[in-house]
């Protein structure tokens, strides 16, 4: 008897408890296509590196611009109480001891930039003057009680950290601070300051102090910063200053008022009885227009960075600055947006880097990238101007094309190197002309040169007409400015231009003063005469000038201006004439305007009328004029309300809403409506949709008719 054994095994594979999640970096989202993953990563890294360089340059510039006012402000705070403590015996200083030192810091109307300025100021105060710095905003200080709570919270919070660093036994937890909120008063704050000062003095000389207190004063003042003085309630501010003046001998207060308009705001806000308690000193920061000019000079009008803006892009950023907020910080954010958008949308921006790096990357260009370069409008124009044999090589051979790309990139780099110093020279010549034909700021001239041939404009012709009437001293001074610009630029290609300008200056300085007959004519004009004789003399001089030859100075002046005109025509061409300019120039003005100039009404109408535009759900697609039953409730209610007049009947609106929603669930809408009832769930969804539309401002309740709402937009009341 044989037996057969069959063995069966069951093997269970349990899924891992830790699910592997796909993690994406910012570079993964940077490229639109999967095939472009390597290049997109390189573009992302190039974009990040470029922006970090420009950001550090902008921060350094802001630090340099604020250094003077910050140094004087810190010195004022250091000396505000130390001088009084040293000279308490004198009667005058005893009278001054009852006053609170106050600094009026006028920052200008660029309110979005104030937060960064006060942050830097607070950091410098804590590093070099005092650890006790309080920053207050008007929205958080509706009463004196709220101000005291903020002062206590920021000062005691800092003292907790400071004492913890010094390894002291006194520690207060946030829960204890909340319990002591009702006990906030300047008397308890004075006791706290005295105890902290006593502990600081009693520290042994050999004990190592922590770094946060390095460089602090022996009696550090308590600095309170009012960031937005204009927004504070006048009565609250007055009461707080009066209370502080009673404790100025126990607490060395120093107030800093952040002012956006003018220093007269203090006297408008505080009456004489309160302002007399303050010892006010005025500090003026750099104006926002000067700050913007410095930013454009460092980030835009330089060949240190390969990225460029075309004329329309620069005009959009400047328009937003001048007509919206005067914020330099927002201008830099807009510039950052341009950089990101350029590297994201332009695959050939991989060559937007330093010249050496661009030449190395040209060697590794793929055939697809070479085809993209061949399709650039500027490169197509360049090919059309070449000989037939070279045209064939450029369009068929990738190797030959890469060699030509290196040459064109080198020409583009040289164009930028020569463009900026020549632009500065032209600005130096025309900035002193009346009415500033080419613009008062260099950015205006730069925008004009980017958009067209500047020498073909009427403004350029008018400027040179005025230059032809310039006196010798003025012309020499203007040419000297041009020499300084060319020397500081360090461009080797402009060495011949510098030599020629210096020769012109020498020739002008060696000229004789004035021809004798011109001197005699001018002296005759200086004599007392009547109007008829004066008119006759002027007409005679006019006729004589037509017939006589030009003087040596006039001839030399024309020669100088002709030379300036020649270098302008040579180097200030618009960038569109340069092949491959699309690689480094961003020209998406409509994209930038769409991001910066928000249109919430249009966006809201698009989202409610066509939800597929934002959600990209295929079920939400619908033809124009139809209502999709799968759309969100608020979209259905919104489309139905567009079909109504000024007043909307809620019952009719509900019936129409129920009809559309019921069709989505496959229920016969007539079954409930015939009975005069609507499903409770649909009714609740309708109420919520109408409430959301009311919250968004499309409808509002009205008393004109019962069970009606008024439409507010697109022809509403």
């Amino acid at each position: 008897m044989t037996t057969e054994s069959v063995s069966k095994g069951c093997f269970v594979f349990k899924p891992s408890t830790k699910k592997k999640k796909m993690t994406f970096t910012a570079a993964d989202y940077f490229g639109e296509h999967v095939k472009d993953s390597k290049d997109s990563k390189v573009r992302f890294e190039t974009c990040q590196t470029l922006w970090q360089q420009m950001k550090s340059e902008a921060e350094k510039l802001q630090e340099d611009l604020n250094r003077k006012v910050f140094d004087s402000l810190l010195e004022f705070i250091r000396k505000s109480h130390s001088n009084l403590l040293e000279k308490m015996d004198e009667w005058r200083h005893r009278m001054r001891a009852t006053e609170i030192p106050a600094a009026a810091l006028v920052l200008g109307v660029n309110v979005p930039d104030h937060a960064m300025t006060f942050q830097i100021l607070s950091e410098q105060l804590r590093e070099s003057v005092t650890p006790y710095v309080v920053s207050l905003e008007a929205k958080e200080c509706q009463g004196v009680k709220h101000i005291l709570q903020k002062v206590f919270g920021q000062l005691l919070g800092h003292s907790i950290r400071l004492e913890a660093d010094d390894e002291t036994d006194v520690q207060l937890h946030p829960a204890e601070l909340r319990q002591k909120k009702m006990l906030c008063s300047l008397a308890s704050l004075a006791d706290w300051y005295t105890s902290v000062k006593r502990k600081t003095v009693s520290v042994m000389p050999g004990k190592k102090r922590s770094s946060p207190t390095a460089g602090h004063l022996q009696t550090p003042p308590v600095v309170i910063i009012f960031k937005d003085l204009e927004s504070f309630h006048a009565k609250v501010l007055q009461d707080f200053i009066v209370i502080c003046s009673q404790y100025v001998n126990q607490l060395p207060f120093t107030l800093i008022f952040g002012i956006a308009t003018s220093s007269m705001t203090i006297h408008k806000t505080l009456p004489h009885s309160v302002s007399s308690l303050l010892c006010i000193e005025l500090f003026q920061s750099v104006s926002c227009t000067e700050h913007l000019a410095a930013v454009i000079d460092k980030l835009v009008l330089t060949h240190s960075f390969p990225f460029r803006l075309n004329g329309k892009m620069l005009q959009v950023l400047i328009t937003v600055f001048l007509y919206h907020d005067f914020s330099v910080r927002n201008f830099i954010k807009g510039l950052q947006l341009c950089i990101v958008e350029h590297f994201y949308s332009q695959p050939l921006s991989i060559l937007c880097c330093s010249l050496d790096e661009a030449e190395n990357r040209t060697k590794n260009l793929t055939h697809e990238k070479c085809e993209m370069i061949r399709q650039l409008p500027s490169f197509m124009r360049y090919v059309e101007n070449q000989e037939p044999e070279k045209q064939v090589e450029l369009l068929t051979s990738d190797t030959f094309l890469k060699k030509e790309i290196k040459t064109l990139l080198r020409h583009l780099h040289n164009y930028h190197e020569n463009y900026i110093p020549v632009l500065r020279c032209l600005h130096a010549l025309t900035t002193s002309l009346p009415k500033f034909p080419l613009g008062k700021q260099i950015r205006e001239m730069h925008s004009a040169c980017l958009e067209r041939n500047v020498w073909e404009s009427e403004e350029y012709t008018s400027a040179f007409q005025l230059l032809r009437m310039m006196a010798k001293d003025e012309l020499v001074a203007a040419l000297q400015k041009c020499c300084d610009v060319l020397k500081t630029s360090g461009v080797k290609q402009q060495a011949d231009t510098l030599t020629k300008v210096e020769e012109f200056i020498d020739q002008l300085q060696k000229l004789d003063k004035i021809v004798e007959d011109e001197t005699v004519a001018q002296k005759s004009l200086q004599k007392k005469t009547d109007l008829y004789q004066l008119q006759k003399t002027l007409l005679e001089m006019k006729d004589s000038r037509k017939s006589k030859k030009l003087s040596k100075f006039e001839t030399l002046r024309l020669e100088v201006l002709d030379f300036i005109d020649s270098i302008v025509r040579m180097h200030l061409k618009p960038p569109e004439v340069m092949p491959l300019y699309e690689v480094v120039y961003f020209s998406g003005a409509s994209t930038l305007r769409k991001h910066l100039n928000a249109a919430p009404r249009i966006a809201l109408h698009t989202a409610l009328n066509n939800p597929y535009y934002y959600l990209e759900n295929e079920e939400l697609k619908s033809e124009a004029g139809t209502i999709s039953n799968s759309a969100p409730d608020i979209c259905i209610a919104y489309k139905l309300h567009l079909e109504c007049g000024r007043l909307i009947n809620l019952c009719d609106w509900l019936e129409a809403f129920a009809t559309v929603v019921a069709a989505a669930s496959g229920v016969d809408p007539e079954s409930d409506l015939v009975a005069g009832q609507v499903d409770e769930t649909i009714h609740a969804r309708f109420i919520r949709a109408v409430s959301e539309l009311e919250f968004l401002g499309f409808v509002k309740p009205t008393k004109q008719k019962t069970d009606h709402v008024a439409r507010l937009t697109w022809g509403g009341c």
Side-chain angles (χ1 to χ4, degrees), residues 583-596:
V583 173
V584 296
Y585 278 86
F586 179 57
S587 56
S590 58
T591 304
L592 181 66
R593 202 177 287 112
K594 178 181 176 182
H595 288 297
L596 296 183

Side-chain angles (χ1 to χ4, degrees), residues 72-204:
S72 57
L73 182 58
L74 295 179
E75 188 65 21
F76 166 75
I77 296 174
R78 288 192 191 97
K79 294 181 178 180
S80 58
H81 293 280
S82 60
N83 292 343
L84 295 177
L85 293 174
E86 293 172 0
K87 303 178 181 180
M88 282 296 292
D89 294 336
E90 300 181 14
W91 177 83
R92 184 182 61 180
H93 289 280
R94 286 201 304 270
M95 293 296 295
R96 287 286 302 276
T98 60
E99 297 179 350
I100 303 175
L105 182 57
V106 182
L107 297 175
V109 294
N110 51 330
V111 178
D113 298 339
H114 293 183
M116 183 62 66
T117 304
F118 283 119
Q119 181 182 349
I120 298 173
L121 177 60
S122 301
E123 292 174 358
Q124 293 190 10
L125 284 170
R126 291 190 177 96
E127 288 176 1
S128 59
V129 180
T130 174
Y132 311 124
V133 181
V134 180
S135 297
L136 301 177
E137 292 182 349
K139 62 182 180 181
E140 301 173 348
C141 304
Q142 300 300 320
V144 178
K145 176 183 175 181
H146 299 94
I147 295 180
L148 292 175
Q149 287 178 355
K150 286 292 179 181
V151 170
F152 263 73
Q154 296 187 33
L155 289 181
L156 294 183
H158 185 80
S159 69
I160 293 167
R161 293 192 297 273
L162 183 63
E163 293 173 1
D165 293 337
D166 294 339
E167 299 179 356
T168 57
D169 297 332
V170 179
Q171 291 186 357
L172 290 175
H173 298 285
E176 298 178 19
L177 289 177
R178 286 195 295 270
Q179 293 175 1
K180 295 188 176 183
K181 271 189 176 180
M182 300 304 296
L183 302 176
C184 295
S185 65
L186 287 184
S188 57
L189 186 63
D191 296 338
W192 165 82
Y193 183 82
T194 304
S195 62
V196 171
K197 181 181 176 182
R198 190 181 301 114
K199 292 173 186 176
T200 305
V201 174
S202 63
V203 174
M204 296 298 294

